[in-house]
Amino acid sequence: MRTLLKGVVWLAVALLGAGALAKIALDRGEKLNSTWFVVAAVCCYLVAYRLYSAFVSAKLLALDDTRATPAERHDDGRDFVPTNKWVLFGHHFAAIAGPGPLVGPTLAAQFGYLPGTLWLIAGAAFAGCVQDFIILFCSIRRDGKSLGEMAREEVSRRGGFIAQLAVLAILVILLGVVALVVVNALKSSPWATFTLAMTIPIAILLGLYLRYLRPGRVLEASFIGVSLVLFAVVAGQWVADAPALAKIFTLGGVTLAFSLMAYGFAASALPVWLLLAPRDYLSAFIKAGAIFSLAAGILFVRPYVLMPPLTRFIDGSGPVFAGKIFPFCFITIACGAISGFHSLISSGTTPKMILREGHARFIGYGAMLLESFVGVMAMVAACAMPPGVYFAINSPASIVGATPEAASATISAWGYPLAAQTMSNLAHSVGEQTLLNRAGGAPSLAVGMAQIFSSTIGGERLLSIWYHFAIMFEALFILTVLDAGTRVGRFMIQELGGRVWKPFARTGWMPGILISSAAIVGAWGYFLYQGVVDPLGGINSLWPLFGISNQLLAAVALVVATTILMKMGRLRWIWVTLLPTAGLVIITMTASYQKIFSANPRIGFLSYANILAGQIAAGKIPADKLADTQRLIFNQRMDAGVTAALAVMILVLIVEALFQWYRLLAHRGEHPLHEIPYVQTRWAASFTGTAHGDD
């Protein structure tokens, strides 16, 4: 009877989710209520976790809680640290949830709400969550080895070495971009800077509390930590209103850049229990709390989605960014659906801290579902504002104009009515001088969140407070990617250095820790500094590569996962990774080709560089703009070269993998599986055997 009741409940959840998705996809009549988005996402995630993740766990991976994990066997108090699964879930979610699920859906809203929402939900359930879960499992079975090292062992030495170089290069690009986002969010904002700075000593206090004062008292420490963080958020406003204190925390771009480098070095070199894990755990509370509060606000306010399901810009003429819905919707929305960066966390810090194999389902698959929910909420926040306001905030001045009057005329001509006074009034309401031409997604998302929050609590008078809270929340969201990514980069450099001198690969050897931490921070720090001091060059020129690099990295992870599963004899279920691998390779290679060779200068790097070069040759560039234009030409050509190099490296890895797959299927040669031999856990008596993370 109980089983029948459960079946009925899950059938009802599935039908409710399917009905909500159908409403979103097929509704073409009256305005669509945003409640449908929350219902569709939650129901689909529940069904995906209950059924699909359980299927992957049981049939594909066969998780075994009697097997000792790397954290248990190599506990060194620095990198290999057995960690409570809730704390580790918080760390993992905070580490993977960066700018992608916030900014990506906001930018992709220019296509309408429908394609992005469907990609967020389906992409996460069948691709992103699967990648994170399986890579985490594979790394646990290999002593916490990185993605590149697993590629070297399981695919081929040549392919693995190329993969390691590609992964490290992509990681440096991603971290440089992420760091620049943080700098831009914190510049001249004492409230956000103070709040983020305070999370560091609070995290250290929490780490010491759990390590020495009250070991195991996670709920107790969580209450203290979250209370202090919330107090820091409120105190940030006091700091901003006090001229003397505001002056201390009002920092310029260069100062913030070097501060971030110092923080990244500390997060990489210090023991994981002291700073990284507790800070990410606290950040997870703020992140999850804000997102669930946004969902609750949507359910309470029930705003209508004002953006149409599909806009006129699906043809590639979009003002926010150029490119057709395929492949650029799937590149712009990265982290909320599938993200290669996640594979670095799943094969970096997390497998070295997990207590049981069974926790991999909850942490790997579950955390990605939560990030996808973040993306859906960001999509709703962007699409709930009038389309005219959305395009005014996110479109560059070169397209819509730099004045409210010009923007109003241009956007209204597209069929999205906008009064010039609307933007001026909105900027005044949120405490900004202007909201025009604030491309990048963060400001428009903050406006959307602030409008929903203020409709729930405080009304119009608190709109500016909610807006600045949302800006701080976005910066907090992004910073946790920087610290975890830097630590992962340190592991990768140590692995590569260990090939030259074996002691360098030991994660507990302090000279190796300090040298490799300085190397990875110096690499992304150089690009960050160039982006801060030179608005036309440096890391800014790498922005278009962010989505492509991230998805190329996901293709690497899925190729490695497919190879390992083939070696494990899971051929019957290999479609679980093979289908998303094929789709992702098609998407990324199409996007890479178009970004390099498209004749449209708004899309193709080379065509834009050639147009600028032609203008210089024709004498159309003023003398005072000549140096900047030459730098821009160099950056566009560099972008093309970097994109081509990354695409070629990934293609080489795919060819190596295809050769390996053929040999496996043809039963030619030896194909050893490089798993660590089974070692029984010390806590085996506490369990009943195989578990699937439901404990």
Side-chain angles (χ1 to χ4, degrees):
M1 185 65 184
R2 185 178 179 184
T3 303
L4 178 62
L5 182 60
K6 281 185 177 180
V8 170
V9 170
W10 281 109
L11 179 61
V13 172
L15 291 175
L16 181 59
L21 272 180
K23 177 70 174 176
I24 294 171
L26 303 176
D27 188 86
R28 296 293 184 274
E30 298 180 357
K31 293 177 181 178
L32 184 65
N33 195 288
S34 57
T35 304
W36 290 109
F37 289 79
V38 178
V39 173
V42 171
C43 290
C44 289
Y45 296 151
L46 289 174
V47 172
Y49 185 81
R50 178 64 183 85
L51 299 180
Y52 195 59
S53 74
F55 159 76
V56 172
S57 177
K59 299 295 185 181
L60 211 61
L61 305 181
L63 302 182
D64 184 2
D65 271 350
T66 70
R67 181 190 288 260
T69 63
E72 180 183 350
R73 289 184 290 105
H74 301 294
D75 184 3
D76 60 6
R78 175 172 293 276
D79 296 312
F80 293 87
V81 180
T83 306
N84 176 277
K85 80 171 183 178
W86 291 101
V87 174
L88 187 55
F89 180 92
H91 157 74
H92 186 80
F93 170 68
I96 66 173
L102 294 173
V103 176
T106 304
L107 297 178
Q110 79 161 358
F111 293 128
Y113 64 75
L114 183 58
T117 301
L118 295 180
W119 172 233
L120 282 165
I121 295 175
F126 297 109
C129 296
V130 170
Q131 174 207 249
D132 294 13
F133 182 14
I134 294 178
I135 291 297
L136 177 57
F137 164 81
C138 293
S139 186
I140 291 171
R141 287 281 177 98
R142 287 159 182 78
D143 262 350
K145 287 182 178 176
S146 70
L147 177 63
E149 189 68 13
M150 289 192 291
R152 188 181 72 87
E153 290 183 347
E154 303 294 354
V155 179
S156 70
R157 287 186 174 272
R158 180 172 56 244
F161 179 68
I162 292 173
Q164 283 183 301
L165 292 180
V167 169
L168 188 58
I170 291 171
L171 180 63
V172 168
I173 293 171
L174 296 182
L175 291 178
V177 171
V178 165
L180 184 61
V181 174
V182 176
V183 169
N184 288 339
L186 298 184
K187 263 193 309 190
S188 304
S189 178
W191 183 2
T193 302
F194 172 82
T195 302
L196 286 184
M198 289 302 101
T199 62
I200 297 174
I202 293 172
I204 293 175
L205 174 64
L206 182 60
L208 294 171
Y209 190 90
L210 286 172
R211 186 79 174 181
Y212 298 113
L213 300 179
R214 303 276 286 178
R217 306 282 182 167
V218 176
L219 289 177
E220 189 177 295
S222 300
F223 177 78
I224 296 173
V226 172
S227 298
L228 290 174
V229 168
L230 291 177
F231 176 76
V233 172
V234 176
Q237 185 184 5
W238 303 339
V239 170
D241 292 338
L245 293 175
K247 184 178 180 180
I248 297 174
F249 290 97
T250 303
L251 305 178
V254 173
T255 303
L256 283 170
F258 281 102
S259 299
L260 283 183
M261 293 179 209
Y263 170 73
F265 180 85
S268 174
L270 290 175
V272 70
W273 60 265
L274 181 59
L275 176 58
L276 186 67
R279 190 194 173 283
D280 287 354
Y281 179 59
L282 288 173
S283 298
F285 274 102
I286 301 298
K287 292 178 177 184
I291 289 301
F292 285 123
S293 297
L294 179 60
I298 290 171
L299 292 176
F300 180 80
V301 179
R302 302 179 74 241
Y304 287 106
V305 173
L306 303 180
M307 187 75 73
L310 294 172
T311 69
R312 55 179 288 180
F313 301 119
I314 59 175
D315 63 355
S317 61
V320 179
F321 61 90
K324 293 184 178 181
I325 192 171
F326 179 86
F328 289 100
C329 179
F330 306 96
I331 293 297
T332 304
I333 298 179
C335 299
I338 181 170
S339 168
F341 179 79
H342 296 187
S343 66
L344 303 184
I345 305 301
S346 292
S347 62
T349 55
T350 304
K352 297 177 176 65
M353 301 164 66
I354 199 164
L355 276 172
R356 314 173 189 170
E357 274 194 6
H359 293 172
R361 177 188 171 199
F362 171 66
I363 293 169
Y365 199 97
M368 178 58 204
L369 284 179
L370 184 56
E371 176 165 4
S372 179
F373 187 64
V374 172
V376 173
M377 294 302 97
M379 178 67 73
V380 171
C383 293
M385 66 177 65
V389 173
Y390 167 85
F391 286 113
I393 296 175
N394 287 287
S395 301
S398 59
I399 293 179
V400 299
T403 65
E405 292 74 20
S408 172
T410 302
I411 296 171
S412 296
W414 294 340
Y416 306 113
L418 177 67
Q421 192 61 34
T422 299
M423 295 306 299
S424 300
N425 293 340
L426 183 60
H428 181 266
S429 298
V430 299
E432 294 283 336
Q433 292 184 349
T434 180
L435 287 172
L436 282 175
N437 317 131
R438 298 287 295 274
S444 62
L445 175 61
V447 169
M449 291 178 63
Q451 289 178 330
I452 293 172
F453 283 143
S454 63
S455 298
T456 307
I457 301 175
E460 190 77 18
R461 61 189 179 86
L462 291 185
L463 188 61
S464 61
I465 293 179
W466 284 122
Y467 173 82
H468 286 93
F469 170 79
I471 289 290
M472 181 278 301
F473 157 77
E474 293 177 55
L476 183 68
F477 225 94
I478 297 166
L479 188 59
T480 49
V481 172
L482 187 69
D483 52 25
T486 301
R487 198 175 189 92
V488 170
R490 189 255 285 181
F491 293 147
M492 294 172 61
I493 290 177
Q494 285 191 269
E495 285 179 354
L496 287 170
R499 295 187 184 183
V500 179
W501 191 43
K502 285 191 175 182
F504 194 79
R506 297 204 311 265
T507 57
W509 189 52
M510 184 54 69
I513 291 172
L514 297 178
I515 293 172
S516 55
S517 296
I520 185 65
V521 170
W524 63 254
Y526 169 79
F527 292 108
L528 169 63
Y529 180 78
Q530 292 301 318
V532 169
V533 300
D534 184 2
L536 292 177
I539 197 62
N540 283 316
S541 65
L542 299 178
W543 263 107
L545 299 180
F546 184 89
I548 293 176
S549 299
N550 201 25
Q551 303 303 63
L552 284 172
L553 187 53
V556 172
L558 287 170
V559 165
V560 173
T562 302
T563 306
I564 291 174
L565 293 174
M566 282 187 173
K567 287 187 173 185
M568 293 174 65
R570 305 294 199 269
L571 293 178
R572 182 180 178 185
W573 314 110
I574 203 65
W575 54 266
V576 171
T577 56
L578 197 56
L579 289 179
T581 300
L584 207 57
V585 169
I586 292 171
I587 290 169
T588 52
M589 291 306 159
T590 302
S592 298
Y593 180 85
Q594 291 188 16
K595 288 303 296 182
I596 297 172
F597 299 111
S598 174
N600 184 345
R602 292 191 61 215
I603 299 177
F605 294 131
L606 294 180
S607 62
Y608 185 41
N610 292 337
I611 286 177
L612 293 176
Q615 290 177 347
I616 291 178
K620 296 180 179 179
I621 304 297
D624 59 334
K625 299 290 184 181
L626 186 60
D628 288 344
T629 305
Q630 289 173 335
R631 180 62 181 268
L632 196 55
I633 293 172
F634 172 80
N635 289 336
Q636 292 296 310
R637 290 173 176 167
M638 181 184 68
D639 281 357
V642 171
T643 303
L646 293 176
V648 168
M649 285 193 286
I650 303 309
L651 286 174
V652 170
L653 175 66
I654 291 172
V655 171
E656 291 279 342
L658 289 173
F659 181 70
Q660 177 79 300
W661 297 352
Y662 170 76
R663 288 171 55 85
L664 278 165
L665 295 174
H667 304 290
R668 295 185 178 181
E670 295 292 328
H671 306 282
L673 191 65
H674 293 80
E675 281 190 0
I676 298 299
Y678 175 89
V679 176
Q680 186 172 348
T681 177
R682 296 193 302 270
W683 302 296
S686 304
F687 310 133
T688 57
T690 302
H692 303 295
D694 295 324
D695 54 326

